Structure formats: C-alpha cells, structure tokens
Amino acid sequence: MSSGPKIMVFKLREIVYTLILAFFVITLLLCLVLMFTKKSSSDAGEAQTNTNVTQSGSDITETASVEANPTSAAGNSPYIAGVYTSSVRLGDAEADVQVTVSSDRILAIELVNLSEATEAAYPLVPSALENLASQILEKQKLDGITCSAQTRYTSQLLFNAVSKALSIAKAAESS
C-alpha cells in the first residue's frame, strides 16, 4: 500500500453537466423560497382586509354609466329607477357590475364586460356574483348577506361594487 498521490481524471463534459445541474437546483430552491415567503405576507394582508369591512376604493371605481328615469322619483321611493354600473378591477382587466333598480325594488344584478380570459383567470367571480345577487334580490337589502369561505374575498369585492352602484341610485335621489 503506497501512500502516493491519487490522480482523478474528469472529463470537461462531466464538469459542465454538474455545473448546469447545480445552477438549476439553486434556481429552483430560490424560486420556492420566494414563492412561499411572498404568499405568507400576502395572506396576512388579506386577513387584515377581511377584518376591515370597508375595503379601499382602489379596486372599485364608479363609472359614469348611469341610465336613470328621473320622472319615476316620487314620494318615498328608495331608488331612482335606472341601470347603475360600478367597475371592478380584476388584475389588469376590469369588469362591470350592473344593477337595475325600479323606484322601490332591486330588479337585477349582472356582471357585464367580463372577457373570457378574465373569466378563466378568475373562475369564482361569476358564481360568487350569482350567489350574492340571489340573496340581495330575495332580501331586497344589503344586510345579512352571507358567502362561502372559498369565495369570501371575491364576494367582498363584488358586494362593495353592488353597494357602490346602489349608493349611486340613492344619491341620485337627493339631487
């Protein structure tokens, strides 16, 4: 048993493959760490939004699209009959929540101008609005509306849009 130096021969191709594999493993680990740390911080922000009932107005903006019939505003009517629209920002796109009211009732709540791409990216939006609309049309008021745990943030966004549209209908009454 000689204690001489041991000679190891590496081919350049093996070194290059090892470096490429190491690069991909490090990149994958870095992406996983960034993805999970960012998600945990956004969850805390969403929980804060859920506890705060009044959501910031940056996601919902009113539009100038109001078709009202001022001749039907008589007496103690809660609304001026017409079609009121409130926009909802969904990522980079916008959709409109359209609320149709008569002088004393909420007649319809619909989602308009929702592109197929946006609907595919946000699949809970149509079903959440359908659930909200059925409850609001049944109760004829915004109090006591419930939603499932899976759609609570989407429902909150849509509920705020419906509320904005109805407040435009009520505000138009005083003018």
Side-chain angles (χ1 to χ4, degrees):
M1 304 254 162
S2 70
S3 62
K6 294 182 181 179
I7 300 175
M8 299 182 81
V9 177
F10 293 105
K11 294 182 180 175
L12 183 60
R13 179 176 39 179
E14 292 172 352
I15 294 172
V16 169
Y17 288 157
T18 304
L19 290 175
I20 291 173
L21 179 65
F23 172 76
F24 284 125
V25 167
I26 291 171
T27 304
L28 177 66
L29 290 174
L30 183 63
C31 288
L32 287 173
V33 167
L34 290 175
M35 183 174 68
F36 287 117
T37 56
K38 186 174 183 179
K39 183 171 182 153
S40 65
S41 66
S42 69
D43 286 345
E46 288 175 355
Q48 183 180 8
T49 302
N50 190 27
T51 58
N52 187 3
V53 177
T54 57
Q55 187 174 6
S56 75
S58 62
D59 291 333
I60 301 172
T61 56
E62 297 177 18
T63 62
S65 173
V66 176
E67 300 171 14
N69 183 3
T71 60
S72 66
N76 289 334
S77 299
Y79 307 111
I80 290 184
V83 178
Y84 299 89
T85 305
S86 181
S87 294
V88 178
R89 180 167 294 285
L90 300 169
D92 293 335
E94 281 193 10
D96 294 328
V97 176
Q98 187 174 7
V99 180
T100 306
V101 295
S102 68
S103 61
D104 60 344
R105 297 186 53 81
I106 303 169
L107 300 175
I109 300 172
E110 301 171 331
L111 192 62
V112 294
N113 299 332
L114 181 66
S115 68
E116 289 181 16
T118 306
E119 187 173 354
Y122 299 95
L124 296 177
V125 171
S127 62
L129 185 68
E130 184 178 317
N131 180 26
L132 284 174
S134 65
Q135 291 182 53
I136 293 170
L137 292 175
E138 180 182 324
K139 295 178 181 183
Q140 289 296 310
K141 59 182 180 177
L142 298 178
D143 299 332
I145 304 299
T146 60
C147 63
S148 68
Q150 293 88 9
T151 63
R152 67 178 169 247
Y153 301 116
T154 305
S155 296
Q156 178 72 32
L157 183 72
L158 295 171
F159 180 81
N160 288 345
V162 171
S163 177
K164 277 264 201 228
L166 288 175
S167 69
I168 294 170
K170 288 180 182 178
E173 180 179 349
S174 64
S175 45

